[in-house]
Amino acid sequence: MTLPFRELVDSAPDGLIVCDQTGTILLVNAEALRMFGYARDELVGSSIDVLVPAGIRPRHHQHVASFVRSSRLRPMGSGLDLHGCRKDGTEFPVEISLSPIESATGMMVTAGIRDITERRALERETRRANAYLTSAVDAVQEAFALFDEQDRVVMVNSAGRQLLGSRLGGSIIGQTFATVLDGALTAGAFDFSDESREALLRRWLAYHAAPSGTLDVRTGTGRYLRVTERKTAEQGTVAMIADVTEDIQHAAELSAARVAAEAASAAKSEFLSSMSHELRTPLNSILGFAQLLERDRKNPLDPRQIERLQYVLRGGEHLLKLIDDVLDLAKIEAGGVTISIEPVGLSEVLGEVVHTLEPLAARAQIRIATQQPTAPPQITADRTRLAQILMNFGSNAIKYGRPGGALVFRVEPKPRTVRVTVIDDGIGIPEHKRDKIFEPFQRAGQEAGPIEGTGIGLTISKRLAEMMEGTVGFKSSEGVGSEFWIEIPVHRDETSEPSATVVTDRGPSLLTTGAAHHLVIYVEDNPSNIAFMRDLMEELPSVELMTAPNAELGLELIRAHLPKLVIMDINLPGMSGFEAVERLRTWPETRAIPVIGLSAAALPKDSLRAKEAGFERYLTKPVKVAELTRALEELLETPPQA
Ligand code: ADP
């Protein structure tokens, strides 16, 4: 069988060249021809030197000779970058293996040649990528280290080397995690004042074994480090150690600032509540006694005195309104006002508002009218706050109204809301003053005028409306009148009952007829308040008043005399009014005695607390005589509930 020798050699994937010991080419395969760009007859018979770069041709000759002498299989030029030279003179990287062949005509050499241009390019690419990666990792500020599956360091950046490996003798690469950590601890890289060396070592090793989340440590120089380790897909570990000192300091500063802000806000609340108390107590005397003087039937004042007294009353009321508004606004701004949204019958609220405004309107010779559908839908609102808004719109309409004019409350149901518009035919607001009227203390030019005001009413109204998911707005025409409106969401559930109670007219009061006898005990430390109450009770012949200057004595008096009603100041020396009422509620004989609380604190949280403590009523000072007498009538004329 003749071997198809030629075909066999030509189909080899590598270049094959056979030459004799002088370097003359005897045989060359197809791949070698392709690689070097020659035709077969150009190479066969010529020297192998033509395939070698010109620069090394002189030495190449000697290499061939020495190979022939040693005559064993070996790669050529190991450790050197070998190049071939094409016919066109271009060079390319090659890998060559040489083997000797003994033949009858003497020694021959076979060279297997592989073009490694692509491999070299790939190697360059890999080297470049590696260099990129290394310099990127190095550029990272955080310490970075990569451990292989045997927990040995394979890569570390300079920050990592500095932190963990500064005291290791020799390279950190190849060291185990345990060795590196131990070295770093020994070198004093970390702080052991809060935690012993062993405890820190244990903590870190445990974290390293199953890393999740982060691990915080302190350095010997007082910096905070946050370690984040994760397992890699190859079961190695990557560790990042970041210096978070600034973050931690920042967080500490923030939290200190928050604590300070909370303290300041608490101090502000405290200040507001004590302001309220301090200002209201003297006002209590001023308004209380002025009301008594005005009503005094035994020694009635003459018209001139009444007129002057009314200045006192009006001044006091204005001051009171100012205090209330400023406190209210401050509370709203501080987010301290909670509102309770419930289904509200608008007609009732409107009825109360109109009723309250009537005397004011009468004095200003203004008629009040309401326009509303026969069955206006229920709305969802905070009843008291809604009334406050309508009162504010209404009293403005009267204040800035025109004598002989009209004030109209118009109710218009809309698809999802109800709009209440308060319409007056008064002085109106000049156009250039309109944009700021909902901002605090903006009085749209009225600050210089004779009409009293604080410029906060509309601000409060707007904020409150927004808290109830409502909106407010207005239109005005100077010299013609204004319309202020509020829109409030409609209550969706049609089945619920209106929550308001119906106010009914009462016949003549038993208190003033003197047909009964009621003992009332008043616990109060302020002498002028006691004098005021005594004067007031003189108008009620059926009431006998006893007073006690503090809660302890008050409780004794109450248990000894079992009065029909107790009126209790809240801010008492020693035991507070709250505590006193809580005690009364624990004794069977005093449990059912109704108690009216009287306090200068006007903040909503106080009346809530009063309700919880068990007060039947909770009135704020300055006492409104009519309000107090109404409460007395209601509580003294109904038999106590057991
Ligand atoms: P004030 O206590 O001054 O009445 P408000 O906040 O209630 O404060 O109102 C702000 C300003 O808006 C008032 O000072 C007044 O100039 C103007 N204003 C409010 N309501 C009316 C109205 N119905 N007619 C004319 N001007 C009004």
Side-chain angles (χ1 to χ4, degrees):
M1 188 182 82
T2 53
L3 275 175
F5 180 71
R6 181 66 171 276
E7 283 81 355
L8 196 69
V9 170
D10 271 350
S11 67
D14 289 343
L16 270 178
I17 295 177
V18 179
C19 52
D20 66 14
Q21 43 191 308
T22 66
T24 304
I25 296 172
L26 304 175
L27 185 143
V28 50
N29 77 345
E31 173 60 14
L33 294 172
R34 195 200 57 75
M35 231 184 269
F36 288 93
Y38 284 98
R40 197 178 301 275
D41 53 1
E42 288 176 308
L43 281 187
V44 173
S46 39
S47 167
I48 188 85
D49 287 355
V50 300
L51 304 180
V52 176
I56 52 171
R57 264 173 216 161
R59 271 176 291 142
H60 188 247
H61 212 69
Q62 293 160 21
H63 290 317
V64 177
S66 90
F67 178 76
V68 171
R69 274 197 304 278
S70 73
S71 71
R72 58 182 170 80
L73 175 76
R74 66 170 173 89
M76 185 177 150
S78 58
L80 294 177
D81 274 348
L82 298 180
H83 287 84
C85 178
R86 295 193 188 92
K87 185 182 170 187
D88 63 9
T90 55
E91 296 177 11
F92 63 102
V94 289
E95 196 175 70
I96 301 176
S97 63
L98 300 175
S99 45
I101 308 172
E102 295 281 358
S103 77
T105 52
M107 172 77 106
M108 291 191 295
V109 181
T110 306
I113 307 163
R114 184 173 293 170
D115 179 345
I116 55 169
T117 310
E118 269 176 36
R119 198 213 292 168
R120 278 285 138 83
L122 216 67
E123 281 168 5
R124 260 201 314 278
E125 216 25 70
T126 313
R127 265 199 308 277
R128 217 156 56 102
N130 263 334
Y132 268 143
L133 184 66
T134 316
S135 71
V137 166
D138 227 43
V140 172
Q141 233 177 5
E142 284 86 37
F144 173 93
L146 177 64
F147 298 86
D148 65 11
E149 71 277 15
Q150 273 145 20
D151 223 9
R152 292 179 189 281
V153 179
V154 283
M155 191 179 206
V156 62
N157 69 355
S158 17
R161 193 173 287 118
Q162 211 173 11
L163 179 71
L164 299 171
S166 59
R167 304 284 172 94
L168 284 179
S171 169
I172 185 174
I173 301 289
Q175 306 274 7
T176 64
F177 174 81
T179 317
V180 171
L181 181 58
D182 191 63
L185 293 180
T186 308
F190 301 103
D191 173 54
F192 307 128
S193 51
D194 292 344
E195 179 180 37
S196 70
R197 182 186 192 283
E198 287 63 40
L200 176 58
L201 185 67
R202 235 179 298 125
R203 189 158 68 92
W204 202 329
L205 286 175
Y207 173 75
H208 179 75
S212 86
T214 54
L215 175 97
D216 287 355
V217 291
R218 270 240 316 273
T219 69
T221 54
R223 308 212 46 98
Y224 293 88
L225 301 183
R226 180 153 298 160
V227 183
T228 312
E229 291 187 12
R230 291 294 176 266
K231 288 286 177 208
T232 67
E234 297 76 22
Q235 289 312 303
T237 308
V238 32
M240 292 277 276
I241 305 176
D243 188 324
V244 290
T245 313
E246 266 78 48
D247 294 356
I248 286 184
Q249 278 166 353
H250 194 58
E253 278 163 19
L254 269 183
S255 116
R258 197 176 49 237
V259 168
E262 276 163 8
S265 152
K268 186 173 155 194
S269 278
E270 199 49 42
F271 171 73
L272 283 176
S273 126
S274 65
M275 260 280 276
S276 148
H277 184 252
E278 294 308 321
L279 294 174
R280 280 164 165 271
T281 305
L283 258 186
N284 189 32
S285 300
I286 297 170
L287 287 176
F289 282 107
Q291 287 177 84
L292 286 183
L293 282 177
E294 195 187 21
R295 291 160 63 109
D296 196 334
R297 283 183 223 121
K298 281 190 212 137
N299 305 300
L301 299 183
D302 66 41
R304 257 166 57 86
Q305 287 169 322
I306 290 277
E307 197 192 323
R308 288 176 185 165
L309 193 62
Q310 271 161 356
Y311 280 116
V312 175
L313 273 171
R314 235 175 298 143
E317 272 155 17
H318 177 59
L319 194 54
L320 183 60
K321 172 107 175 73
L322 187 65
I323 295 169
D324 283 346
D325 281 358
V326 170
L327 283 175
D328 212 14
L329 182 62
K331 284 293 282 181
I332 293 172
E333 307 262 81
V337 165
T338 46
I339 55 165
S340 65
I341 305 271
E342 53 180 349
V344 171
L346 189 54
S347 313
E348 286 101 23
V349 177
L350 210 52
E352 287 161 21
V353 169
V354 171
H355 182 75
T356 319
L357 286 175
E358 223 119 51
L360 193 65
R363 247 185 280 155
Q365 298 162 32
I366 287 174
R367 278 170 294 111
I368 304 183
T370 51
Q371 295 171 2
Q372 52 180 332
T374 39
Q378 275 209 325
I379 52 173
T380 51
D382 180 306
R383 196 190 161 86
T384 319
R385 296 307 196 164
L386 175 63
Q388 185 180 348
I389 297 171
L390 294 175
M391 282 287 296
N392 184 38
F393 287 175
S395 60
N396 277 350
I398 296 170
K399 274 198 319 193
Y400 305 108
R402 163 176 73 74
L407 154 59
V408 180
F409 286 93
R410 185 169 64 209
V411 178
E412 292 164 279
K414 309 223 160 204
R416 291 163 176 279
T417 57
V418 174
R419 178 184 282 219
V420 187
T421 313
V422 183
I423 308 162
D424 69 61
D425 49 8
I427 60 175
I429 305 167
E431 191 171 352
H432 64 283
K433 299 276 188 191
R434 282 180 208 154
D435 56 339
K436 289 220 171 83
I437 60 166
F438 283 106
E439 287 171 26
F441 306 109
Q442 297 293 333
R443 295 205 59 216
Q446 294 297 334
E447 42 284 276
I451 307 171
E452 277 174 351
T454 58
I456 337 182
L458 288 182
T459 315
I460 293 177
S461 300
K462 183 168 193 278
R463 306 265 161 94
L464 290 176
E466 283 160 1
M467 287 171 79
M468 295 190 266
E469 282 165 27
T471 48
V472 294
F474 77 105
K475 65 179 186 197
S476 185
S477 170
E478 197 174 358
V480 178
S482 311
E483 295 187 4
F484 281 80
W485 52 260
I486 172 167
E487 258 181 40
I488 290 287
V490 166
H491 176 52
R492 295 261 151 236
D493 181 10
E494 303 296 336
T495 57
S496 73
E497 290 293 309
S499 58
T501 50
V502 180
V503 185
T504 48
D505 271 346
R506 245 188 299 273
S509 164
L510 287 175
L511 293 183
T512 43
T513 59
H517 173 263
H518 303 297
L519 177 63
V520 173
I521 292 180
Y522 180 33
V523 188
E524 168 69 80
D525 59 321
N526 182 320
S528 74
N529 287 347
I530 297 173
F532 162 71
M533 195 62 80
R534 282 203 187 290
D535 276 8
L536 173 67
M537 293 302 183
E538 271 178 21
E539 290 183 16
L540 309 173
S542 65
V543 174
E544 182 196 340
L545 188 71
M546 269 186 187
T547 63
N550 59 46
E552 290 80 357
L553 265 177
L555 289 182
E556 265 179 44
L557 266 189
I558 293 165
R559 291 183 84 175
H561 296 279
L562 299 179
K564 188 85 187 288
L565 177 80
V566 174
I567 303 175
M568 178 88 70
D569 181 35
I570 303 296
N571 293 289
L572 290 164
M575 187 192 294
S576 81
F578 284 125
E579 222 182 311
V581 166
E582 276 156 13
R583 297 235 179 141
L584 285 180
R585 294 292 170 253
T586 62
W587 298 317
E589 72 274 25
T590 59
R591 185 175 297 148
I593 300 174
V595 182
I596 298 179
L598 277 189
S599 166
L603 302 178
K605 74 167 195 304
D606 298 316
S607 53
L608 202 75
R609 168 140 194 239
K611 210 180 261 177
E612 280 165 9
F615 283 97
E616 202 66 42
R617 293 292 149 83
Y618 186 73
L619 307 181
T620 50
K621 296 175 184 174
V623 170
K624 288 170 209 74
V625 173
E627 190 181 41
L628 180 61
T629 22
R630 196 159 62 231
L632 288 174
E633 279 167 17
E634 280 167 16
L635 295 173
L636 290 176
E637 287 171 6
T638 43
Q641 312 287 303

